[in-house]
């Protein structure tokens, strides 16, 4: 019986030879059993494509590690600059305090003016703020370097 409903005679003893009813695109396989369908080009190129993908991922990990190492190196240089700035600010504060003490003594003894002593004390107070700012910059640079080193550590764990 066909799709419309018409009945027709058929023979179960037919023999197909060549590309008859089993031609590609003619429908389901007409022969029972195992059917294998693969493309030779895929069998040859898929393993190479997989190797290229793995290689590119490995190189991407290496590039990320190199970028992180560069950033860490630059952050270390920034940390050194911040440490130097903090040390210089501390030295300047020490000199400003000494100057404030000296001008205060001069003003007390009458050898200097009270205005000079006040200016020196104000300078020492400003330098105290500068030391705090420099220490804050050092702490920020140290935290940034620590963060980058943790990133490098995690990348090295992934890379292994």
């Amino acid at each position: 019986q066909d799709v419309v409903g018409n009945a027709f005679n058929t023979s179960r003893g037919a023999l197909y030879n060549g590309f008859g009813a089993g031609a590609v695109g003619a429908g389901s396989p007409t022969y029972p059993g195992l059917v294998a369908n693969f493309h030779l080009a895929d069998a040859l190129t898929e393993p190479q494509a997989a190797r290229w993908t793995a290689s590119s991922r490995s190189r991407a990990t290496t590039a990320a590690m190199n970028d992180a190492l560069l950033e860490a190196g630059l952050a270390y240089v920034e940390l050194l600059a911040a440490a130097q700035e903090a040390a210089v600010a501390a030295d300047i504060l020490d000199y400003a305090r000494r100057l404030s003490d000296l001008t205060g003594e001069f003003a007390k003894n009458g050898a200097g003016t009270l205005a000079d002593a006040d200016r020196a004390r104000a300078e020492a107070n400003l330098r105290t703020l500068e030391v705090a700012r420099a220490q804050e910059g050092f702490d920020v640079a140290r935290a940034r370097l620590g963060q980058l080193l943790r990133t490098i550590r995690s990348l090295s764990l992934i890379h292994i």
Side-chain angles (χ1 to χ4, degrees):
Q1 187 174 6
D2 63 10
V3 176
V4 179
N6 299 326
F8 58 91
N9 289 331
T10 182
S11 171
R12 293 179 185 247
L15 173 67
Y16 293 103
N17 193 4
F19 289 116
V24 175
S28 300
T30 57
Y31 308 107
L34 181 63
V35 175
N37 184 10
F38 66 93
H39 298 281
L40 185 59
D42 287 346
L44 295 175
T45 59
E46 287 295 324
Q48 184 64 36
R51 282 191 294 273
W52 287 343
T53 301
S55 176
S56 73
R57 287 184 180 160
S58 173
R59 294 210 180 8
T61 302
T62 302
M65 175 64 93
N66 289 341
D67 288 345
L69 287 172
L70 174 64
E71 283 188 53
L74 293 174
Y76 181 69
V77 170
E78 289 175 12
L79 177 66
L80 291 176
Q84 184 178 14
E85 186 176 336
V88 168
D91 282 347
I92 291 172
L93 173 62
D94 184 45
Y95 289 126
R97 284 182 178 162
R98 284 201 216 149
L99 182 62
S100 175
D101 292 343
L102 285 174
T103 55
E105 287 296 321
F106 283 166
K108 193 186 297 182
N109 294 336
T113 65
L114 187 58
D116 289 339
D118 288 343
R119 277 194 294 275
R121 191 171 38 254
E123 181 67 23
N125 289 337
L126 288 174
R127 294 303 175 171
T128 302
L129 293 175
E130 187 66 24
V131 167
R133 187 201 59 76
Q135 184 61 43
E136 179 183 339
F138 176 76
D139 291 341
V140 168
R142 184 174 53 185
R144 173 145 170 74
L145 179 60
Q147 179 185 19
L148 289 170
L149 291 176
R150 281 189 297 278
T151 301
I152 289 171
R153 182 172 173 231
S154 68
L155 283 174
S156 67
L157 291 176
I158 292 170
H159 190 56
I160 292 174

